[in-house]
Amino acid sequence: MLETDLHDLSDDADYAASQQQGSTTMMRTDSGRGSSSSEHEGAEVVYSKENVTIHPTQFASERISGRLRLIKQGSCLFITWIPYKGQNSNAKLSERDRNLYTIRGVPFTEVRSIRRHTPAFGWQYVIIVLSSGLAFPSLYFYNGGVREFLATVKQHVFLVRSEEDANTFLVNDFQNPLQRTLSSLELPRSGSIASAVSSASVDVSPSNSERRAGEDSHDERSRISRYGGKQRHKAQDPARDLPIQILEKFSLVTKFARETTSQLFRENHNNGFSVAEMRIQNQSSLDSPQTSSNDLEKVTDDSPVVQDPIQFDKLTLVWGKPRQPPLGSEEWATFLDAEGRVLDSTSLRKRIFYGGVEHNLRKEVWAFLLGFHAYNSTYAEREYLQSIKRSEYLTIKNQWQSISPEQAKRFTKFKERKGLIEKDVVRTDRSLSFFDGDENPNVKLLHDILLTYSFYNFDLGYCQGMSDFLSPILFVMGDESESFWCFVALMERLGPNFNRDQTGMHCQLFAISKLVELLDTPLHNYFSQHDCLNYFFCFRWVLIQFKREFAYEKVMHLWEVLWTHYPSEHLHLYICVAVLKRYRNKIMGEQMDFDTLLKFINELSGHIDLDAAIRDAEALCVCAGENGAANIPPGTPPSLPLDDGSYYIQQDEVL
Amino acid sequence: MSYAYLFKYIIIGDTGVGKSCLLLQFTDKRFQPVHDLTIGVEFGARMITIDNKPIKLQIWDTAGQESFRSITRSYYRGAAGALLVYDITRRETFNHLASWLEDARQHANANMTIMLIGNKCDLAHRRAVSTEEGEQFAKEHGLIFMEASAKTAQNVEEAFIKTAATIYKKIQDGVFDVSNESYGIKVGYGGIPGPSGGRDGATAQSGGCCS
Ligand SMILES: Nc1nc2c(ncn2[C@@H]2O[C@H](COP(=O)(O)OP(=O)(O)OP(=O)(O)O)[C@@H](O)[C@H]2O)c(=O)[nH]1
Ligand SMILES: [Mg+2]
């Protein structure tokens, strides 16, 4: 099996050495040597807090307390959390668990953000998210001290408050994109993230569990000294000129993203086990929706959903955020002010991303997601808009309804369009009861809306695939005019999928190939060698956004998730990559050629695990970060067109 | 299932002429008028017997819409047979045949066997293209020709099998180097390995490949 991309840590000399040294020292206990060596390295403890505790399960008896420290070495700040040994420990809580959660010297260059939670009742805690998107379990400060912790961090690393969330602090998030890129590249080396991940992995040697607290601190420092040493080495090298350094760092990040993702996907390569299954399955909310307040300075994240901070499932790694049940009416009401404005559209979108919308609420919410209604509109404004738009719709519809048969005879383009639409609406989702049977009025609505649209946007006209987009919209909205305007809003973004010259499609297929190159180079190379780089096998996925790949209900869920444009406008491209990655070993192992691959991908329809695909895509998107975004050409759908003048110029002889 | 040969077919022609219906009639022996329009390509497969040899047809049903052509063309590669379909009740679908043919000649291999099908012949009362016109076009361009109906199944079986028989005869006559997969033929058990003695890949794969 081709596993060449799996970064084997054993060939990472530094990592291997640190592991070696760690375990050797542990077996031949020599605390004297340990402390002298760490002093030699000049590590300084700048913050230390006792009784910082994690809650791996919902049972109070299974909490693990430990000591949290910030350690400064050279210009680098590290965080460690070492659980206490042998104190009133219960049988359920194994040494394995204890080691699993230990944080051994993770440098802040690997930390993306810290989120603080300071509820009025209960313990304060923080969630530390790594650049990879992984997060450590929440750290509860039983003795308080979150503020002091953050203040100390701030003294040593660049910390800014997130614009989106007043309780989230971004680490090294510089305003200047180049600076930001460079700073995020201040990774000691690409293997380090993997070791940070593996410090939470289940591989625990017996000697580890026999460790005593003093040795832990030695271990932690010896690791830190590795990082410190490496960094100094880089800084001291004057021979490098800047452009080369930038390039190198760029490739480092690329390598980093690749290795991180292959690490995370390793499980399902080997045994088909889904990464998602390893992740937290917590249905309760770790990160609750913002309450309706636009005051960013106000503490808004301690809404009632996190009533009890103990309600966490056992988790080793938090991968993305846990999924929530679909947004329901009651919760929806909390996003609206008295006059019906959505106050915090960002947290609304985020909320929907992580759980979707209950079906009966879709009619209301989709109009916002699609952009028909503005988030800051009031009930009254929306009602007014609807009535204006209804008559506007009827006016456009009348344009074709008033064409007499005589006139139509001399209006070939109209006749052809109408004929095509008539042929296609009777071949769209007819197996659903909503569209089945002869003379079904909803089929007629599909027809009327599509034909009206082809007058509204005469340059783009009608193209196959549009009825696939309209079908769920009509199913959800019910109303003819509202369906039309929602469809119009969707086509503002996805219209280019239907450009005659296929530019919109080629743009997206190209972006997929760049993303695969970034996130799975061996697979990219495989496609390249087998003449598959045009990615035509993803054509149907992209053209109608997976409409034919999932059951109807799933499609509606996927679409509302995509329409949140959180965490990326282009998440659908990452979904393509995620699905390809999931089957990469089969594709390469069976040496599929273009034909076989196309057939294989076609036959995946109905067999893709949607939830896993979304989670994987989110993870890939986070891993790819700015590099991913940089690989997607500007204006790639569903981005709004860069220049709307000449977007739909079609060749003349066509429909 | 093991086969002596596997042939790759493509079905091409304007949208709505009944390509998917023909495929479904051939593979499942049923007519389903409400099935979805084709985006990209769909697949079907069936075993047939010619000269007592089991032959597997792997059929690619392409989308007819003009704007998808730049993509559907890439599916022509390595097809041994093509069904070029028009709708006898719609003149324009007949008028477009030349451009489809040009596409096929350009992107498929030169020895591809092409069957011209005038579909929907059950709708004789709405006929817009006469049988003679179809015959004439086929003759001019060296195609086999049949009128058929996906609805009544008339000539459907015959069209697919006659195409296969023609390909089979070409193999017998040594027109193809069957060991070269770009001709859209894979050799399984009992097939003629071809002039170059066959490739390990092709024989080893027999039976195991494809659904
Ligand atoms: N009466 C009659 N109707 C047919 C026949 N074959 C197909 N149809 C009808 O024609 C319509 C189009 O058939 P499809 O098989 O979907 O057409 P297609 O060529 O696959 O079209 P695209 O997928 O858009 O390229 C269907 O709705 C059928 O009802 C036939 O033999 N007789
Ligand atoms: Mg079809």
Side-chain angles (χ1 to χ4, degrees), chain A residues 363-431:
Chain A
K363 182 175 162 54
E364 200 171 345
V365 176
W366 278 22
F368 290 94
L369 290 177
L370 285 167
F372 175 49
H373 287 313
Y375 287 108
N376 61 3
S377 61
T378 62
Y379 292 123
E381 285 163 352
R382 293 200 284 273
E383 205 169 304
Y384 179 68
L385 183 76
Q386 267 164 6
S387 73
I388 296 285
K389 287 292 182 181
R390 176 156 293 118
S391 64
E392 198 179 320
Y393 172 73
L394 291 175
T395 307
I396 308 166
K397 185 176 176 182
N398 193 250
Q399 290 171 1
W400 60 264
Q401 281 185 316
S402 65
I403 294 173
S404 70
E406 271 308 297
Q407 205 185 345
K409 274 188 195 160
R410 288 177 273 284
F411 195 171
T412 314
K413 207 163 193 170
F414 167 69
K415 263 192 323 190
E416 284 177 355
R417 251 182 212 185
K418 190 166 177 353
L420 190 51
I421 292 170
E422 278 165 1
K423 273 194 180 43
D424 286 353
V425 293
V426 298
R427 296 188 292 159
T428 303
D429 293 325
R430 297 297 295 285
S431 54

Side-chain angles (χ1 to χ4, degrees), chain A residues 427, chain B residues 16 18-21 35-39 42 61-64:
Chain A
R427 296 188 292 159
Chain B
K19 300 181 293 297
S20 301
C21 288
H35 96 129
D36 286 356
L37 64 97
T38 308
I39 301 277
E42 274 154 30
D61 167 27
T62 65

Side-chain angles (χ1 to χ4, degrees), chain A residues 221-492:
Chain A
R221 283 176 197 203
S222 69
R223 284 176 61 89
I224 289 168
S225 71
R226 297 272 133 208
Y227 290 123
K230 190 81 194 173
Q231 287 224 316
R232 269 203 306 281
H233 173 71
K234 274 202 170 168
Q236 276 165 2
D237 189 349
R240 296 159 182 262
D241 56 10
L242 189 65
I244 289 180
Q245 223 171 344
I246 291 174
L247 276 179
E248 276 187 356
K249 288 190 168 182
F250 203 75
S251 76
L252 184 65
V253 154
T254 308
K255 189 161 171 265
F256 153 76
R258 201 162 60 230
E259 284 163 2
T260 310
T261 53
S262 51
Q263 274 262 332
L264 295 160
F265 279 77
R266 177 183 295 208
E267 287 302 320
N268 59 29
H269 296 160
N270 292 342
N271 52 21
F273 192 79
S274 144
V275 172
E277 288 160 36
M278 300 170 52
R279 290 181 214 139
I280 173 173
Q281 300 286 320
N282 192 351
Q283 285 308 300
S284 83
S285 153
L286 247 196
D287 193 53
S288 57
Q290 304 269 313
T291 48
S292 39
S293 154
N294 53 1
D295 178 7
L296 276 180
E297 286 307 303
K298 222 176 112 185
V299 176
T300 53
D301 65 330
D302 303 307
S303 83
V305 189
V306 190
Q307 324 92 337
D308 182 3
I310 302 165
Q311 273 196 2
F312 295 109
D313 284 353
K314 182 156 190 150
L315 57 105
T316 50
L317 302 166
V318 178
W319 190 245
K321 298 232 168 47
R323 264 51 186 179
Q324 297 171 9
L327 177 74
S329 317
E330 263 176 49
E331 195 185 342
W332 165 241
T334 66
F335 282 97
L336 301 171
D337 73 4
E339 291 177 309
R341 295 182 194 89
V342 174
L343 291 171
D344 187 349
S345 61
T346 309
S347 35
L348 173 66
R349 289 187 295 111
K350 195 166 163 188
R351 169 65 183 88
I352 293 170
F353 180 83
Y354 286 111
V357 179
E358 270 179 17
H359 187 72
N360 59 10
L361 200 60
R362 285 192 167 124
K363 182 175 162 54
E364 200 171 345
V365 176
W366 278 22
F368 290 94
L369 290 177
L370 285 167
F372 175 49
H373 287 313
Y375 287 108
N376 61 3
S377 61
T378 62
Y379 292 123
E381 285 163 352
R382 293 200 284 273
E383 205 169 304
Y384 179 68
L385 183 76
Q386 267 164 6
S387 73
I388 296 285
K389 287 292 182 181
R390 176 156 293 118
S391 64
E392 198 179 320
Y393 172 73
L394 291 175
T395 307
I396 308 166
K397 185 176 176 182
N398 193 250
Q399 290 171 1
W400 60 264
Q401 281 185 316
S402 65
I403 294 173
S404 70
E406 271 308 297
Q407 205 185 345
K409 274 188 195 160
R410 288 177 273 284
F411 195 171
T412 314
K413 207 163 193 170
F414 167 69
K415 263 192 323 190
E416 284 177 355
R417 251 182 212 185
K418 190 166 177 353
L420 190 51
I421 292 170
E422 278 165 1
K423 273 194 180 43
D424 286 353
V425 293
V426 298
R427 296 188 292 159
T428 303
D429 293 325
R430 297 297 295 285
S431 54
L432 297 175
S433 63
F434 188 75
F435 291 114
D436 75 358
D438 297 338
E439 306 288 313
N440 183 311
N442 294 320
V443 175
K444 171 96 167 61
L445 285 180
L446 279 182
H447 168 272
D448 289 2
I449 294 171
L450 288 169
L451 194 52
T452 306
Y453 181 77
S454 84
F455 273 72
Y456 173 82
N457 187 346
F458 202 85
D459 288 344
L460 184 60
Y462 169 76
C463 185
Q464 287 186 335
M466 286 185 177
S467 64
D468 276 279
F469 275 128
L470 179 57
S471 155
I473 290 178
L474 180 64
F475 178 71
V476 163
M477 305 306 294
D479 179 79
E480 180 175 353
S481 157
E482 279 180 65
S483 301
F484 173 80
W485 290 109
C486 283
F487 179 71
V488 165
L490 183 64
M491 285 302 112
E492 285 301 302

